[in-house]
Amino acid sequence: MTEAKSSRGLVSLPLRLFVKMGVLPFFLLIAVLVFAILSPNFLSLQNLMNVARQSVYLVLVSLGQMLVLISGGFDLSVGTVIALASVISAMAMVKAAGIFPDAVWLVILLGALAGFGVALVLGTINGIGVAVFEVSPFIMTLGVSSIGTGLALFLTGGVPVSGLPFAFADTFGFGRILGTPVPVVIALVAILGMWIFMARTRAGARVYAVGGNIKAAHLSAINTRQVLVQVYAICALLAALTGLLLTARVESGEANLGGTIAMESIAACVIAGVSLRGGIGRVENVVLGAFFIILMQNGMNLAQISSYMQMVLIGLLLVLAVIFDQLRYRLIVKG
């Protein structure tokens, strides 16, 4: 009898972990074991630190994508927002540098504000389309993505925007604070802010309520339209922040930044247990999910897996994560 109870306990433990955190712990364990066998350098401290630094950009975008997914939608335009914010901010800095040649930080500030401004416009358009006109998030964000990509290419002619202030790249691309890269510090602040927002504020609770049951949320006197516009705007602002950091890293404004990040951010969220049905998701899990995606890419690079096959494997992970998400949802519903 005792052995039977013990056996059931061993079986139910992974099941409880799966219901609480999704498929991520299992994927992470398998990835670590496989890549540790394939490459002896995979688990070295230097490599893991490199993965942490590289994951900053996907973490930031995934935090915004998480908000939208929890609200019951998703955003395919985050990659375009990154590219357009990069181009607009770079062009604004180059223009401002000609007007204020001795005010470097004013130039950087004006450029950053321009990037955030265009992102806020795109995010608000997405939110209004979904919330007010009830357009499908897929169609709305796909359309905005096409518009933004066209604008970025039209403004640059496909040529990178160079001539940015040296201090911009030196600080936000390669700078350090107490030995920690500046992008990592910015990401940590964003993670903390998002955790407080989602776990400790009424605004965060409203996002969960809207995603869980939008009709019930409306009957509870929650302004559901306002909530939806806010989440798409915040998602776009986080994408713009990513675009600025990437611009500092490559030292130019480029219209081809963020090409695959929309799919990767959705994959990171779904793998981390954020439900595609809305209403379910945790900040700390999403951070780990984004780290996992970059860890996978790093492990595949060390194992010398071709970039084309990497795309296949990441896509396969996304499909499996969606399948497991459906199973997890059924388990949650059954209680």
Side-chain angles (χ1 to χ4, degrees), residues 256-306:
N256 60 358
L257 289 179
T260 61
I261 206 163
M263 188 192 78
E264 290 172 355
S265 63
I266 293 172
C269 289
V270 175
I271 289 170
V274 180
S275 177
L276 291 173
R277 297 171 182 267
I280 299 172
R282 298 167 66 92
V283 172
E284 56 272 29
N285 292 358
V286 169
V287 173
L288 191 58
F291 181 81
F292 168 75
I293 295 291
I294 301 301
L295 191 73
M296 280 285 297
Q297 293 174 347
N298 174 266
M300 288 187 288
N301 287 333
L302 290 176
Q304 298 182 341
I305 297 173
S306 73

Side-chain angles (χ1 to χ4, degrees), residues 50-267:
N50 185 44
V51 171
R53 183 184 59 78
Q54 291 176 347
S55 65
V56 162
Y57 312 108
L58 183 56
V59 165
L60 289 172
V61 177
S62 297
L63 288 174
Q65 192 72 253
M66 176 200 71
L67 263 184
V68 178
L69 285 168
I70 289 175
S71 74
F74 54 88
D75 192 345
L76 297 177
S77 67
V78 286
T80 292
V81 173
I82 288 173
L84 197 56
S86 173
V87 167
I88 294 293
S89 62
M91 293 178 72
M93 285 184 207
V94 172
K95 187 71 174 178
I99 302 173
F100 309 105
D102 298 321
V104 176
W105 288 104
L106 176 61
V107 168
I108 293 172
L109 177 62
L110 291 174
L113 289 175
F116 283 124
V118 72
L120 186 60
V121 170
L122 292 180
T124 303
I125 291 172
N126 279 332
I128 290 174
V130 172
V132 178
F133 296 102
E134 299 183 356
V135 180
S136 162
F138 175 81
I139 298 299
M140 191 67 218
T141 59
L142 185 63
V144 168
S145 177
S146 179
I147 293 168
T149 300
L151 279 174
L153 290 170
F154 173 77
L155 290 171
T156 62
V159 179
V161 181
S162 56
L164 304 184
F166 173 77
F168 177 61
D170 187 54
T171 302
F172 297 102
F174 305 96
R176 290 178 177 269
I177 297 176
L178 300 176
T180 306
V182 169
V184 174
V185 174
I186 292 173
L188 290 173
V189 172
I191 291 166
L192 178 61
M194 184 62 73
W195 182 83
I196 293 172
F197 176 77
M198 294 302 290
R200 293 290 184 268
T201 68
R202 290 183 178 178
R206 291 189 189 107
V207 177
Y208 281 110
V210 169
N213 190 324
I214 191 168
K215 290 182 179 179
H218 182 71
L219 292 173
S220 301
I222 294 175
N223 189 335
T224 56
R225 289 182 174 179
Q226 181 181 342
V227 171
L228 289 173
V229 173
Q230 284 176 346
V231 298
Y232 280 96
I234 294 172
C235 181
L237 289 173
L238 285 167
L241 176 59
T242 307
L244 287 168
L245 293 176
L246 284 170
T247 301
R249 189 72 185 177
V250 300
E251 301 183 61
S252 62
E254 300 191 16
N256 60 358
L257 289 179
T260 61
I261 206 163
M263 188 192 78
E264 290 172 355
S265 63
I266 293 172

